[in-house]
Amino acid sequence: MGGCSVLGRIWGVWRRRPGVRAVPKAPGFGTEAGHRLRPRGSSKRSRPLGGQPFPGLLQLENLSREELVDVLRAAVVDQKGKPGELTLFSVLPELSQSLGLGDQELQVVQASGKETSGLVLLSSCPQTASRLQKFFIHSRRAQRPTATYCAVTDGIPATSEGKIQAALKLEHVDGVDLVIPVKSPSRKDFQEGVKRTLSHFRVVAMGSGCALVQLQPLTVFPSQLQVHMVLQLCPVLGDHTYSARVGTVLGQRFLLPAESTKPQRQVPDEALLRRLCLTPSQAAQLPLHLHLHCLHLPGMRPGEAPMKLLAPLPSYFSRTLQCLGLHQQ
């Protein structure tokens, strides 16, 4: 597939050490892969979080533009035809030059939220980017998932598998864009920006009052997976925006009104803090445990078999699973 590249990207503020080696076939998080990211080792330019129990994270604010380009360039997992890569839009021109693309511009084909770890897909070929975008649009219309995420949730869903449907809208509240669920939306609501959203979930493992959950969005909306898990009363661990909407009284969880609940730092209970070996101040910096693990892509040429691209879990994510006794299947 000409002009297509993938890299292990983590979020807007923090970034884990990139994985770079592609292998022909490997087992993954409930799937088998055409290509898989594996750690190649730390870069001498990489600066780990000092004094933080979240291994594999970087402070981007401590990197220069040149160092950031080096980190991104090292994170390319697979290149077909013209190379490409991604993370912050501001350094894409430098990255393009560093990869020898000349005047060709990199385009973002597929990316998750800025705080989400995992795969990002770029292309330096407009035709390839257009083909992939059409593939993703067609797959959504057919309700065929192309992306699989894994998440650690604070709480365990009531059922082991199912679909989450919700009408969502984006509102600007106190200077922040927040996603708000809309009950019984009218036709006017949909005309004013309310969208129907749908995700599939499957519980992979449970332990210590938490769960390892596989998530497959069938629609695209900002923070869709985070909000959907809040609606299940199981916010994603490290969700410092929407988890406050889940209240607890006498051990029973319930939803607080989204319109009047302001974002605040997630506060795990004492038992969970002990299992994670975190202090309350460290928990306030807990990264979002939502990882774009797998992307399904069409074959490189007409008639060829589809591809699967896998990104391994960040080391802080794996540490959390170990602390909670959540074992991948």
Side-chain angles (χ1 to χ4, degrees):
M1 185 175 299
C4 179
S5 291
V6 181
L7 73 121
R9 172 242 189 189
I10 297 307
W11 6 316
V13 177
W14 303 103
R15 179 184 178 84
R16 77 172 178 84
R17 302 192 196 286
V20 296
R21 187 164 67 92
V23 296
K25 188 174 182 180
F29 185 78
T31 63
E32 66 177 23
H35 300 275
R36 183 179 182 180
L37 288 165
R38 293 184 183 274
R40 185 174 67 177
S42 60
S43 166
K44 65 181 181 180
R45 295 180 182 270
S46 301
R47 301 188 182 100
L49 253 170
Q52 300 284 341
F54 310 127
L57 299 180
L58 300 176
Q59 288 182 298
L60 294 187
E61 61 267 31
N62 288 343
L63 297 178
S64 68
R65 293 177 68 90
E66 292 78 12
E67 289 172 331
L68 180 55
V69 170
D70 287 347
V71 170
L72 298 179
R73 185 172 183 272
V76 173
V77 62
D78 186 40
Q79 295 183 176
K80 301 295 181 183
K82 297 296 184 179
E85 162 135 19
L86 153 84
T87 211
L88 302 176
F89 285 99
S90 62
V91 299
L92 286 180
E94 290 97 324
L95 180 59
S96 179
Q97 292 296 323
S98 178
L99 293 171
L101 296 179
D103 295 332
Q104 291 179 297
E105 295 183 0
L106 289 172
Q107 302 177 55
V108 178
V109 179
Q110 183 83 335
S112 55
K114 69 176 183 179
E115 293 185 346
T116 304
S117 62
L119 292 164
V120 170
L121 188 63
L122 298 176
S123 175
S124 60
C125 172
Q127 291 78 13
T128 295
S130 176
R131 180 183 174 218
L132 288 171
Q133 291 291 2
K134 291 178 181 178
F135 167 77
F136 291 130
I137 291 172
H138 179 75
S139 297
R140 285 197 296 271
R141 288 175 178 170
Q143 292 198 352
R144 185 172 59 247
T146 57
T148 300
Y149 293 74
C150 47
V152 177
T153 61
D154 182 0
I156 300 173
T159 59
S160 61
E161 187 171 358
K163 290 184 177 180
I164 308 168
Q165 301 182 64
L168 303 178
K169 65 178 179 179
L170 198 62
E171 281 196 359
H172 197 67
V173 181
D174 295 333
V176 180
D177 288 328
L178 296 176
V179 177
I180 307 292
V182 180
K183 294 182 180 180
S184 303
S186 65
R187 179 179 298 181
K188 182 180 178 181
D189 289 327
F190 289 116
Q191 292 173 344
E192 294 178 351
V194 174
K195 301 293 183 183
R196 290 189 177 94
T197 61
L198 174 65
S199 300
H200 180 268
F201 74 91
R202 181 173 70 88
V203 176
V204 177
M206 298 179 290
S208 305
C210 296
L212 174 61
V213 181
Q214 186 181 75
L215 295 165
Q216 293 180 317
L218 298 172
T219 54
V220 177
F221 199 84
S223 303
Q224 173 178 315
L225 296 178
Q226 292 163 250
V227 174
H228 279 186
M229 293 315 298
V230 165
L231 294 175
Q232 296 293 299
L233 303 177
C234 300
V236 177
L237 197 64
D239 181 356
H240 303 296
T241 302
Y242 299 104
S243 62
R245 296 178 183 178
V246 178
T248 304
V249 173
L250 299 177
Q252 298 297 314
R253 295 189 173 195
F254 63 95
L255 283 176
L256 294 167
E259 295 83 357
S260 58
T261 304
K262 294 183 178 181
Q264 63 183 38
R265 290 290 177 179
Q266 189 179 44
V267 182
D269 61 33
E270 292 184 5
L272 182 52
L273 285 176
R274 288 195 298 269
R275 290 301 300 265
L276 294 174
C277 302
L278 298 176
T279 65
S281 61
Q282 290 171 336
Q285 301 180 61
L286 193 70
L288 183 69
H289 283 56
L290 182 61
H291 177 77
L292 177 49
H293 171 73
C294 177
L295 279 176
H296 297 254
L297 302 177
M300 293 168 56
R301 296 177 181 84
E304 289 191 352
M307 298 171 56
K308 290 182 182 179
L309 295 169
L310 296 181
L313 298 175
S315 50
Y316 65 82
F317 200 121
S318 298
R319 175 190 181 274
T320 295
L321 296 183
Q322 183 178 11
C323 290
L324 299 177
L326 299 175
H327 302 293
Q328 300 180 57
Q329 297 177 355

